[in-house]
Every structure is written in C-alpha cells, then in structure tokens.
Amino acid sequence: MPTFELITTMAGVICYAAALALAVAAPLRRANRVLPQAGLILAGSLLIALALVVDAVRSGHFSLADRHQALLFYVVAVTAVFFFTARRRDLRGLWLIILPYVTVLAAFGAWGAFAHRPVQPGIESPWLILHVLTALLGYALFTLASVYAAAFLVQDRSLRRKQFGQTFEALPPLETLEALMRRQVGLAFVVFTAAIALGVVLAHINGWGRAWLTDPKILATALTWAVYAVLLYLRLGRLYCGRRAAVVTLAGLACLLFTFVGVPLLTDSMHDFAASGQGGNT
C-alpha cells in the first residue's frame, strides 16, 4: 500500500511534469511578468521536501544516505538554489532547460525512496549528515553552472547563425550567462571541497583506514573535483572563457552524474553503506 511519503513525492513529480508541459506549450517571453508554472514548481519542491521531512520524523533519522532520497534532496536543492539565484534576475527562460532534468531525476528518485533499507547502526552521525548535505548542495550548484553553460551555448549558436527567435528572446544575454556560470562554479567548488574535507574527517572518525582511498565513488569524486579545479584555474587565468568554458562545465556535469548516479549502479562502493555497512552515499 502506498505510503503518505510516496504519494506526496509522486504528487511533487506530477507538479514538475505539469510545469514542464506548460513551459513547452507556451514558450516564455520577456514581456511576461508572471510565470504561470512557478506555482507548480514551488508546489512540487515543497511536496517532495515534506515527504522527506515526514519520513525523517517517522524513522527518527534522515535517510539521505539512501541514493533515492539523496536524489530527491538534490532535485529540491537544484530548484531552491535556482529560485534564490533568479530572485533578482530575469532567468525564467532557463526553466526550459532545468525542468526536464529535475522531472526525470525526481521520478527516478521517487522509485524506492522510502524502502528503508537497513543501515549500519550509528553510521548516521552529525558528521555524515553534514557531509551529505554539503555534497548535495555542491552538486546542485555545479548543476546550475551547467544549466548556464548550456544556455550560453544555445545563445552563442543563435548569435553566430543570426537566429533570433523565441528561444533567443527567452534566454538571458551571453554576458549575464557568462557571469553566472563563473560565479556558480567558484561557489560550488568551495562547497564541494568542504564536503570532501568532511568526508575525510568522517573516514578518520570511523577508522576506515586507507581502503576508502581506492573506493570507486572516491575515485570518481576526485575526478569530478579535478575537472572543476582545472576549469576554475583556467578561468581565473582568463585562459578559458566563453564557449570553451561552457563545454568544460558541461563535461564536469557528466562526471558529477556518473559519480552520483552511475557509480552506485555499476559498482560496489563503500558509500552504499546500506549494502556494505561502511560508507555514505554522496
């Protein structure tokens, strides 16, 4: 029998899907002052967040170590961070890029999110919760940087081909996207680095030795961090900007998704501690 948490989560997914349908059916224009689907997007985020909170209250702990619940939190984080970023800018056209992404991930996360797999007793320490939260926030920030990068490439292509249609009018100008992408990568890198540092502390506290250094999730995380570190270095030195920076930013998102979703599906990792009893899920 479906639980309240599952029903609420599916209602949130439906809200995202309905908002996506509206965005596709009626392309956004700068002249519009009211975003019809904004209410649906906000409702979807709040419903999913409510499901996570209710589940935490009933179980007595946040189960963000579960990959499905972590994915749901990630979706809410992406949405919330974008709402916060867009409060002073006209970025409504970017929902056409964000909504398909978060809708698919929310639907995937809803499946099996509240199965309550057994976890190692005591593993959900404050250090782990902080590590997971900062990692997921870093993922969300990097994701938005990639959204800006994708929009930048679309706008750049339209300018080079002199195609100034509805899509061009809906998306922000190149200068705005370039500035947002640069700032977002810098902020995300700081948060993601903090998450990695907290993970090292957690490994030390739990006495995992050096085995965690060769864990597939750790190696994939290190690769993701390195891609963004190189990108940040090149941008600070003004060696990479514009299209090249946008392409590298999207490559970073591919590494991030492989780390977050691909590794747990393809390999056995200490981070899937519900199965191995040794790690987290970020």
Side-chain angles (χ1 to χ4, degrees), residues 126-144:
W127 285 105
L128 176 62
I129 294 175
L130 189 58
H131 165 62
V132 171
L133 290 176
T134 52
L136 292 175
L137 179 58
Y139 289 166
L141 292 169
F142 276 136
T143 299
L144 288 181

Side-chain angles (χ1 to χ4, degrees), residues 161-202:
R161 296 192 176 189
K162 297 182 179 180
Q163 297 174 345
F164 309 116
Q166 291 182 340
T167 300
F168 180 83
E169 291 296 326
L171 294 176
L174 289 178
E175 295 78 9
T176 299
L177 294 170
E178 171 78 15
L180 287 171
M181 183 169 51
R182 180 177 62 252
R183 295 171 187 171
Q184 205 76 18
V185 168
L187 178 59
F189 185 78
V190 172
V191 174
F192 194 57
T193 301
I196 293 175
L198 288 168
V200 173
V201 172
L202 187 65

Side-chain angles (χ1 to χ4, degrees), residues 140-163:
L141 292 169
F142 276 136
T143 299
L144 288 181
S146 300
V147 169
Y148 301 142
F152 183 96
L153 292 176
V154 171
Q155 289 292 71
D156 181 73
R157 181 175 180 272
S158 297
L159 283 172
R160 286 187 288 111
R161 296 192 176 189
K162 297 182 179 180
Q163 297 174 345

